[in-house]
Amino acid sequence: MDAQTFTLITTVVVAHFLALISPGPDFLLIVRSALRHKRNHAVGVAAGIAVANAVYIALCMLGVGSLIARSLWLMVGLKVAGACFLMYVAFHAFRAKRSDYNFIGGMSAENRTQSSFFKEFGLGLLSGLSNPKNIIFYISLFAVILTPAVGTGLKTGLGVWMVALIFVWDSMIVFLLGQNRIRSFFGKAAFYIDKAAGAVLGLLGVKLLQSAVKDGA
């Protein structure tokens, strides 16, 4: 491996990791799911987000991502879908009662919010696919990767690495919040954390919808 290729790989890996650890809608959704549901259900969100990113990575590698970015109506549609999804999650966050969070501190397991791995997977998938920043980020990133000097094997390897890292990182958050001591601590504030996360997601949804209306005007 020559120095240029090594520098390229390092740049891509670092840029992707920094984007991954930056809090956004996906992160808030993971925290919310981890606090409200069983660990083996909440990890479905991490899997869904990873699959959504895998879809966008594959599209960018095939050159379809740039076509989506150039299509005004596709981007507007993506923003509207994302805004509706974020506001839907925010609505349910504000609708939840204080008693829905009692199980977090171990006070009442029967009050645990009903869910499943596949339901949480679907939420994670929708969150990842409906965030227009994801496709734009990968288009920018793959503009660096997709050069004649970079072989197909290396491109594929980087794509697999990014998807695996997303799943591992997000699952780590789920398992961290699943620890009894941490859950006990968050149990006292989960009601307010969920409301705050819902408020942020709702505001992001409104801004995304405003952006879609502006772009479509």
Side-chain angles (χ1 to χ4, degrees), residues 23-37 42-46 48-49 85-86 88-90 92-93 119-130 170 173-174 177 194 197-198 200-201 204:
D26 290 347
F27 174 79
L28 292 174
L29 189 64
I30 291 168
V31 171
R32 184 172 183 271
S33 181
L35 291 177
R36 289 173 61 88
H37 307 301
V43 77
V45 171
I49 291 171
F85 172 75
L86 292 176
Y88 167 81
V89 174
H92 282 278
K119 182 178 179 180
E120 296 306 299
F121 175 87
L123 288 175
L125 184 66
L126 283 172
S127 178
L129 290 177
S130 62
D170 291 346
I173 295 172
V174 170
L177 292 176
D194 200 19
V200 173
L201 290 172
L204 287 173

Side-chain angles (χ1 to χ4, degrees), residues 1-10 149-150 154:
M1 182 184 297
D2 57 32
Q4 184 177 1
T5 303
F6 178 78
T7 302
L8 173 65
I9 293 174
T10 302
V150 180
L154 180 55

Side-chain angles (χ1 to χ4, degrees), residues 107-170:
M107 292 180 283
S108 180
E110 66 270 13
N111 285 330
R112 186 184 299 273
T113 306
Q114 294 298 316
S115 188
S116 68
F117 174 88
F118 293 105
K119 182 178 179 180
E120 296 306 299
F121 175 87
L123 288 175
L125 184 66
L126 283 172
S127 178
L129 290 177
S130 62
N131 187 351
K133 290 183 179 180
N134 285 342
I135 187 66
I136 294 171
F137 170 75
Y138 285 119
I139 288 171
S140 303
L141 196 62
F142 275 85
V144 178
I145 301 174
L146 298 177
T147 64
V150 180
T152 303
L154 180 55
K155 296 171 189 174
T156 304
L158 285 171
V160 171
W161 162 260
M162 286 188 280
V163 174
L165 183 62
I166 290 168
F167 178 70
V168 170
W169 177 263
D170 291 346

Side-chain angles (χ1 to χ4, degrees), residues 75-77 79-80 83 207-217:
M75 287 303 295
V76 168
K79 288 182 177 181
V80 170
K207 283 191 173 184
L208 202 54
L209 189 59
Q210 289 176 337
S211 176
V213 171
K214 184 179 179 180
D215 290 345

